[in-house]
Amino acid sequence: MKILVCISKTPDTTAKIAFTDNNTKFAEAGVQWIINPYDEWYALVRAIELKEADASTTIHLATVGGADAEPIIRKALALGGDEAHRVNAEPTESYFVAAQLAAIAKGYDLVLLGKETIDYNGGAVGGMLAELLDLPYIANATNLQIAGTTATVKREIEGGEETIEVALPVVISCQKGMAEARIPNMRGIMAARTKPLKVVEPANIEAMTQYTSFQLPPAKAGVKLVSPDNVDELVRLLHEEARAI
Amino acid sequence: MSVLIFVDHLHGHIKKASHEALTYGAKIAEQTGDTAEAVVLGNVSEDLAALGQHGVKKVHHVQSDALNTFDSQVYTKVIAQVAEQSGAKVIVFSNNSSGKALAPRVAVRLKAGLVAGATALPDISNGFVVRKAVFSGKAVANVAIKTDVKVVSLNVNAFTISTSEGTAEVVPFNATVDAPKTKIVGSTKTSGKVSLTEADVVVSAGRGLKGPENWKMVEDLADELGAALACSRPVADAHWRPHNEHVGQTGIAIAPNLYIAIGISGAIQHLAGVNRSKTIVVINKDPEAPFFKAADYGIVGDAFEVVPKITEAVKKIKGH
C-alpha cells in the first residue's frame, strides 16, 4: 500500500500570537515551528502503524513550504516516513495548498492529513484535495482500519460516531483517537538524514481568498470572583447578568 | 441570483447548526439584495416549508435513496447542480461534521473561494470580507473572497437563530445522483445526552477531580443545566473519560454560550479550544490557576464542596 501524508509547518502550540505590517502578517520572530499536531500525532503516526503491520507499505510525505519547512520534514522522516516532497512555495490559502498537493497526490491508496492546521484552522485542504483527485473523503476520522483494499473509518458526527466502509483510494482527515503521539528515536533521526527529500517547483495557481488583516480578541474585563460559601450568588450572576442559564 | 444554504439533517431531523446557517444565509441575502434559498438532500421528517421562518423563500428538495446516507462526493455533485441552476452566488454551510467535508469540495467544484469557520456576517462594503477565528481562537482574521461565487461555512454557535412569520416554497429538484462509494455500516451515540459541539452549555472537568469515579457530581450539574460533558486532555489521555469529550487545541474546539471548567488549570492548549465560549466560569482551588485570567466568573475553592452546591442552586433557580 502507498500512503501519502500531507504535513504543514505551524507555530508551536504555546507560541505568542502577534502581527506586524499594520496587522497584515503573523509576527514570526522568535516563533518555534512544529509539524501541525493533527498531521503528526494522528495522520503520520497512524500511517506508521499501518506500515508496521504491513512492511510492504510505503509512506511518502508532502508539504507546501519554503526551505525553512525542511526541519519539520526531516522530523517526519525520522518518525517513519520513507521519502518526502516539498512544493517550493509559501502556502497562502487552502485552495493554493490543495492544488499544489493534488499535483503530487495521484496514485496513492491512502492520503492522510490532520483535520485542520492549528494556525489558520480552515480544515479545508483535505476536502479540496479529494475533490481535485475525484476521490471519496472522510473528514474528522477517529479510527482507521485497513483490510485488503477496504478502509473502515470512524468519523465524529454531532452527538455520536459513524463507521464507514470505503474502497481505496480515499482521502481521510485525522483527529484525536486515530493514534497516540510518538517521539522520534536516535536511529530514526540518523536515518532521516539520508532519506530522499524532493523539491518540486509549484504549479501556477491563483489564490481565491486573501487574508487582509488580523486582530487579537478584545481583552477580558477580568474575572469576577465569588466566595465558595455563596454559590447562590454565582448562579444569580449567570442567570441575571450573563444570561447564560 | 441567490444565496443558497445547505440544510443538514441527521436521520431526518434538521440539525440546530442548520437553523443557524439558514438565519445567517438569509441575512447575507438581505445585505446583497438576493433571494435566500435552501437545499435539502434526502428524506426529512420535518416540515420544510417552515424553514421560511428563518427568511428563506424557496427550498430545493432533492430526493433519492442514494441521498439518505451522507457521502461528501455524491452530495457535492448534487449541491453544485442546485447552485448552478439557482444562480447561487453565495453558498452557506454550517462548519459542522457534514459542512467540514462538503464546503471545501463544493468550493473546488464551483471554482469558488471558501472561508471555513466564519464567525460574523461578511462585510460587503468593499468586496466580500469574512471574519473568522484563527490561531485556535487566539486571533481573528478578515478574509477577502476574490471569486464570483463564494462559499462560507459558519462556525457552530457563532450566530443566533432568528425566526419570524414566513413560509418557504418547497420545490422538488431533479438532480443526477451518483451511487455512493462510501457505506455507513454502524453508528453510535456518545455517552452525553447533548452534542458537545452544538451545546449551549458545556460542563468540563480536569485532573482536579482526582479520578473517573468522581464524575457523578459533574454529570449531575450537567444534567441540571441541560449541558454537554467535556474534559481536559490529561483526563482523556488517562482514559478517565472518552477522547470525544476532550476539548482543547488538539481535541474538539467549542464555542458554547456558557463553559464551566472544574479542576482545570487552563493550559494554553486547553484555552485555545474553549476561548470562543461567551461566558467562562472557572472553579479551582488554586488561586494562581492561569484559567482565572480567561474567566468571566470564578470560585477559588474545593470542587468537591462547591459543585454539588452549584447543582442545588441551579435547581432552585430553575424551580425544580
Side-chain angles (χ1 to χ4, degrees), chain A residues 23-95:
Chain A
N23 285 330
T24 58
K25 280 196 184 123
F26 174 59
E28 297 191 356
V31 169
Q32 185 85 21
W33 296 95
I34 59 169
I35 309 174
N36 179 44
Y38 297 111
D39 300 340
E40 178 190 336
W41 299 357
Y42 308 131
L44 176 57
V45 176
R46 186 67 192 119
I48 294 165
E49 290 172 351
L50 290 170
K51 183 176 171 162
E52 285 167 352
D54 173 7
S56 68
T57 295
T58 54
I59 301 170
H60 290 184
L61 306 162
T63 196
V64 178
D68 59 352
E70 295 202 355
I72 67 124
I73 304 170
R74 289 287 174 203
K75 185 190 173 193
L77 289 169
L79 279 160
D82 294 307
E83 66 173 64
H85 303 257
R86 175 172 69 82
V87 181
N88 189 26
E90 284 306 317
T92 51
E93 49 125 34
S94 303
Y95 177 71

Side-chain angles (χ1 to χ4, degrees), chain A residues 1-154:
Chain A
M1 185 167 55
K2 286 180 70 183
I3 305 176
L4 181 71
V5 181
C6 305
I7 59 172
S8 290
K9 185 188 85 167
T10 56
D12 179 73
T13 49
T14 58
K16 182 173 160 43
I17 306 303
F19 301 96
T20 60
D21 293 15
N22 204 17
N23 285 330
T24 58
K25 280 196 184 123
F26 174 59
E28 297 191 356
V31 169
Q32 185 85 21
W33 296 95
I34 59 169
I35 309 174
N36 179 44
Y38 297 111
D39 300 340
E40 178 190 336
W41 299 357
Y42 308 131
L44 176 57
V45 176
R46 186 67 192 119
I48 294 165
E49 290 172 351
L50 290 170
K51 183 176 171 162
E52 285 167 352
D54 173 7
S56 68
T57 295
T58 54
I59 301 170
H60 290 184
L61 306 162
T63 196
V64 178
D68 59 352
E70 295 202 355
I72 67 124
I73 304 170
R74 289 287 174 203
K75 185 190 173 193
L77 289 169
L79 279 160
D82 294 307
E83 66 173 64
H85 303 257
R86 175 172 69 82
V87 181
N88 189 26
E90 284 306 317
T92 51
E93 49 125 34
S94 303
Y95 177 71
F96 177 85
V97 172
Q100 301 297 347
L101 291 172
I104 49 176
K106 295 183 177 77
Y108 290 92
D109 301 300
L110 198 54
V111 179
L112 300 178
L113 71 171
K115 70 165 184 173
E116 63 183 43
T117 58
I118 61 164
D119 47 10
Y120 293 96
N121 304 106
V125 170
M128 289 179 166
L129 188 53
E131 188 63 22
L132 290 164
L133 298 169
D134 196 21
L135 290 179
Y137 174 54
I138 316 287
N140 289 19
T142 57
N143 189 283
L144 164 66
Q145 305 298 329
I146 305 283
T149 57
T150 303
T152 303
V153 189
K154 285 189 179 161

